[in-house]
Amino acid sequence: MKNLLIFAAAVTVSTSVLAGNMSDNKDMRAMHSQMMDKSSIEEILKNEEMQRLHRDMTRNAMSEGGFEARVQMMTEEGRAYHNALKQRQKNTAG
């Protein structure tokens, strides 16, 4: 019985620590997105290769060409391009 209580306490403490770390992570993401200014977003969006891949990905959707474009966009550069597109859409909408 004593071991069960110790185990329950350990799970409770570790869960609360994990929840605290997760909230800090969200704050860091928000801070990072605020740090991306318009000039850096525009620099990222000028990448012609990423523009071509994104165009292929959206036009060809479920075809083989669309899937190949998706695979090539699954890089750090592709994620940055996608995030910059989202940020630009937020800025123009709001």
Side-chain angles (χ1 to χ4, degrees), residues 36-47:
M36 285 185 63
D37 59 349
K38 289 183 179 182
S39 62
S40 65
I41 291 173
E42 293 304 319
E43 272 305 308
I44 293 170
L45 293 175
K46 287 181 182 177
N47 186 334

Side-chain angles (χ1 to χ4, degrees), residues 67-80:
F67 280 117
E68 287 179 12
R70 277 185 173 76
V71 169
Q72 291 177 4
M73 289 281 289
M74 289 184 192
T75 61
E76 223 25 68
E77 191 177 15
R79 286 188 195 103

Side-chain angles (χ1 to χ4, degrees), residues 13-65:
V13 169
S14 64
T15 304
S16 65
V17 168
L18 180 63
N21 288 341
M22 291 175 77
S23 66
D24 291 341
N25 192 16
K26 290 178 184 176
D27 293 339
M28 293 179 82
R29 285 184 188 162
M31 188 169 40
H32 177 69
S33 65
Q34 289 175 355
M35 287 172 41
M36 285 185 63
D37 59 349
K38 289 183 179 182
S39 62
S40 65
I41 291 173
E42 293 304 319
E43 272 305 308
I44 293 170
L45 293 175
K46 287 181 182 177
N47 186 334
E48 292 178 8
E49 178 67 14
M50 288 295 128
Q51 289 174 355
R52 183 189 64 77
L53 287 172
H54 189 263
R55 186 173 48 248
D56 290 348
M57 188 177 73
T58 53
R59 281 187 188 159
N60 299 331
M62 300 301 281
S63 69
E64 186 176 344

